[in-house]
Amino acid sequence: MKIGLQVGVISDLHVDVNESAGKPVVETLVELIGNSGVAVVLIAGDVSNDYRKTLAVLDKIERESGVSCYYVPGNHDLWNEVHPHKNAWDIYHELMAFKGNLANGPVELPNGWVLVGDVGWYDYSFGGEGITRKAFDNMQYEDRVWQDKIKAIWDRPALEMHQYFLDKLEAQLKRWQHHKLILMTHVVPHPAFTVQDPNAMWQYLNAFLGSKVYGSLVQQYQVRYAVFGHVHYRMTKTIGGTTYA
C-alpha cells in the first residue's frame, strides 16, 4: 500500500489446520513479518475456529514481531463449535479484547490515513439469479451445509446482520470521509472476487461470500484501499480508483 509506510496484508490463517514447512503457520508468519520491514499488518479475519486461540495468536504476532496489528473477525473466528454455550454476539465481544480489533472503532494511521473495518456479513447479492431468498436462508446445497448456519448463531437472520454491519461501517466512513480511507472487512465487497464462471454449487455458495453493497460504500466514500479475506486466494485489482486486496 502506498500510504507512506509499509503495510502487510494477510487473512484466513486457519491456524487450526495450517502448517508451514512442518511448523505452525503462526511461527512462520512472525518470522516473515519480522524480516519484512512492514510497520503495520492488517489481518482480515479467520485466524481460527476458537476465539481464545484467535486472541492468543493475534497477541503472539504483535508481541513477537514487534509490529502493530489490526484485525477484523472472520466468520470462523465467531464459530461456537468449541464454546457451544456462546452465541456469535458473545464471541464477537470477547474478540474485542484485542485492542487492534477494528470492531472497537476506526484507527488513525500516520499521514492522514484512517482504517475502518468490521466483519461485514452477506446479503445473497452474489448468488445466482433465480435462486430464492428462502433457498439461501436454508444455507444448504444438496448435502453441503454452510457452517455459519449451525456455528455462527446471531440473534437475527443473515440479511439483518448484513444490515447491522453495513449501517455501522457507513456511519464510520461518513465520520471520517475527509481523510484517506482504508476499509477492511472479512467478507468480499466486489463481485470480481467471487468464484467466477461458477458451477451450480458455487452459483449458490457465492451468496455467502459478501455483498455488492459494501462495494457501493467503497465508491460513495472514495475509499482508497479495500482489504478483505474469506476467499482463499490473493488477488489485487484496481477498480474505479480503489485498490482491492
Side-chain angles (χ1 to χ4, degrees), residues 66 117 140 198:
Q140 181 168 346

Side-chain angles (χ1 to χ4, degrees), residues 78-89:
L78 296 166
W79 281 6
N80 70 348
E81 63 179 1
V82 182
H83 308 280
H85 60 291
K86 291 184 179 290
N87 63 28
W89 281 118

Side-chain angles (χ1 to χ4, degrees), residues 46-99:
D46 275 7
V47 174
S48 82
N49 294 353
D50 178 352
Y51 77 88
R52 293 179 304 181
K53 184 179 292 185
T54 292
L55 288 171
V57 167
L58 293 169
D59 179 69
K60 180 182 179 71
I61 292 172
E62 191 166 65
R63 175 169 35 83
E64 295 189 8
S65 71
V67 172
S68 296
C69 295
Y70 299 104
Y71 154 85
V72 293
N75 58 317
H76 280 249
D77 297 308
L78 296 166
W79 281 6
N80 70 348
E81 63 179 1
V82 182
H83 308 280
H85 60 291
K86 291 184 179 290
N87 63 28
W89 281 118
D90 295 330
I91 296 171
Y92 178 78
H93 289 110
E94 293 278 9
L95 287 165
M96 289 181 175
F98 180 66
K99 60 180 174 54

Side-chain angles (χ1 to χ4, degrees), residues 23-32 60 64:
K23 61 183 178 181
V25 68
V26 66
E27 301 288 349
T28 299
L29 182 59
V30 166
E31 292 175 11
L32 288 172
K60 180 182 179 71
E64 295 189 8

Side-chain angles (χ1 to χ4, degrees), residues 2-13:
K2 298 178 180 179
I3 68 170
L5 70 163
Q6 287 187 278
V7 177
V9 176
I10 195 166
S11 71
D12 296 85
L13 299 177

Side-chain angles (χ1 to χ4, degrees), residues 71-241:
Y71 154 85
V72 293
N75 58 317
H76 280 249
D77 297 308
L78 296 166
W79 281 6
N80 70 348
E81 63 179 1
V82 182
H83 308 280
H85 60 291
K86 291 184 179 290
N87 63 28
W89 281 118
D90 295 330
I91 296 171
Y92 178 78
H93 289 110
E94 293 278 9
L95 287 165
M96 289 181 175
F98 180 66
K99 60 180 174 54
N101 184 346
L102 296 180
N104 291 312
V107 172
E108 292 185 79
L109 298 174
N111 307 314
W113 289 89
V114 172
L115 179 59
V116 173
D118 214 320
V119 187
W121 212 243
Y122 32 80
D123 65 352
Y124 312 151
S125 58
F126 293 147
E129 294 183 7
I131 304 175
T132 66
R133 174 177 169 177
K134 182 178 180 180
F136 287 133
D137 281 339
N138 193 41
M139 295 190 185
Q140 181 168 346
Y141 181 82
E142 294 181 349
D143 61 348
R144 184 168 181 176
V145 177
W146 188 257
Q147 292 295 292
D148 290 349
K149 178 179 180 179
I150 55 178
K151 296 178 181 176
I153 310 301
W154 301 100
D155 63 346
R156 64 197 76 178
L159 297 191
E160 292 183 26
M161 282 312 306
H162 157 74
Q163 190 65 47
Y164 169 83
F165 287 117
L166 177 67
D167 292 344
K168 182 178 179 183
L169 290 169
E170 181 165 20
Q172 293 174 347
L173 291 170
K174 185 175 182 179
R175 161 71 177 81
W176 294 97
Q177 64 183 308
H178 299 300
H179 293 68
K180 294 176 284 187
L181 293 169
I182 303 167
L183 176 66
M184 180 162 64
T185 57
H186 178 63
V187 300
V188 176
H190 195 285
F193 300 92
T194 61
V195 175
Q196 300 298 299
D197 300 320
N199 58 22
M201 181 183 73
W202 276 104
Q203 286 184 35
Y204 183 79
L205 294 180
N206 269 342
F208 309 112
L209 295 187
S211 170
K212 296 176 182 178
V213 186
Y214 297 120
S216 297
L217 284 186
V218 166
Q219 295 177 358
Q220 180 179 351
Y221 292 97
Q222 299 181 327
V223 171
R224 308 285 186 93
Y225 291 94
V227 176
F228 57 94
H230 205 28
V231 287
H232 291 187
Y233 57 85
R234 180 58 58 202
M235 175 174 31
T236 300
K237 287 187 177 182
T238 299
I239 304 170

